[in-house]
Amino acid sequence: MIKNKIIAIILAILTFITGTAFFVGIIFYFAGYPLSSIGEHQLYLFFAVLIGAVLASVVYGRGSNDRAIRAAKCVDELLGVKVKTNDMWRILRGVEQMPIFVINDYVSKDINGVEAYEEGIREYKSKLTDENLQDIRRIIDKPIPELQNVLNELYLETDLEQFKILADPSAEPLITMNLQELKRILFNE
């Protein structure tokens, strides 16, 4: 992983330019078209640009771990739970992909999200070590206002609006219900 975000951005831009040019050349070579006919074959150009964008996204994704490092440090300091940077990066990507309006819906309607994923949680439980379960227990047993303080700090570190919504006191009933459900599934309580 690239630790410096600026270098990751520069490398992503260079990858986009190089990848696009390379794939334009490849596509036009194998299709038998001269490069001067790019205007006539814009669809091929579009595919080359799309491939270049995907490559750039992969390169940038490898470099966007600054936020994950800060978030992992925050969780370690506030909860005493060590999270690997790669794991935190995956968590943050998952949180990012959850639309804000869905989080607001969950909060306003007190939706039991854990219940919806019960089967997956039970399957994943077998992969957890005793240390993992202890870390989960330590988090679940924290008072909700303390957990919301952690969520607020994660919002400040990551600028993800989803954390801000969950840090709001109106989300306390939702968090309480979902943590109780998680206790029931993981610890038979």
Side-chain angles (χ1 to χ4, degrees):
M1 284 199 166
I2 304 165
K3 299 221 187 256
N4 187 321
K5 190 173 183 175
I6 294 171
I7 292 173
I9 291 170
I10 292 168
L11 288 175
I13 291 168
L14 292 174
T15 301
F16 173 73
I17 293 167
T18 306
T20 300
F22 177 75
F23 283 105
V24 163
I26 296 282
I27 291 170
F28 276 72
Y29 175 76
F30 283 113
Y33 298 124
L35 286 178
S36 60
S37 68
I38 285 179
E40 299 169 18
H41 303 289
Q42 292 177 2
L43 185 61
Y44 295 128
L45 178 65
F46 172 75
F47 285 123
V49 168
L50 189 62
I51 293 169
V54 168
L55 291 173
S57 173
V58 169
V59 169
Y60 180 72
R62 294 182 179 279
S64 63
N65 69 343
D66 289 346
R67 191 167 59 170
I69 290 169
R70 292 192 316 270
K73 183 178 176 188
C74 179
V75 168
D76 185 21
E77 289 173 358
L78 297 174
L79 293 174
V81 175
K82 294 208 180 290
V83 180
K84 294 177 185 172
T85 303
N86 287 343
D87 293 337
M88 183 56 77
W89 185 82
R90 281 190 215 104
I91 290 167
L92 294 177
R93 294 290 287 202
V95 170
E96 265 181 325
Q97 292 174 359
M98 180 70 79
I100 292 170
F101 73 89
V102 171
I103 302 278
N104 281 322
D105 254 9
Y106 271 59
V107 170
S108 67
K109 297 176 182 173
D110 283 335
I111 296 174
N112 188 339
V114 173
E115 185 179 67
Y117 297 102
E118 182 172 351
E119 187 176 316
I121 293 170
R122 287 192 187 282
E123 287 176 19
Y124 191 73
K125 181 182 174 184
S126 64
K127 298 176 185 175
L128 296 173
T129 66
D130 288 339
E131 185 179 323
N132 295 140
L133 288 170
Q134 287 174 353
D135 287 342
I136 292 169
R137 168 66 81 179
R138 192 177 1 209
I139 293 168
I140 288 176
D141 289 341
K142 294 269 186 199
I144 303 302
E146 196 173 320
L147 289 175
Q148 286 186 300
N149 180 48
V150 173
L151 290 167
N152 188 55
E153 290 299 318
L154 285 170
Y155 165 68
L156 296 174
E157 290 295 333
T158 64
D159 203 33
L160 290 175
E161 191 73 22
Q162 293 87 337
F163 287 130
K164 183 179 181 182
I165 294 166
L166 292 171
D168 190 272
S170 65
E172 187 172 342
L174 172 80
I175 294 170
T176 302
M177 175 182 51
N178 281 276
L179 289 180
Q180 287 173 346
E181 192 69 20
L182 197 56
K183 269 186 190 180
R184 180 186 66 78
I185 295 169
L186 291 177
F187 304 108
N188 299 320
E189 292 180 14

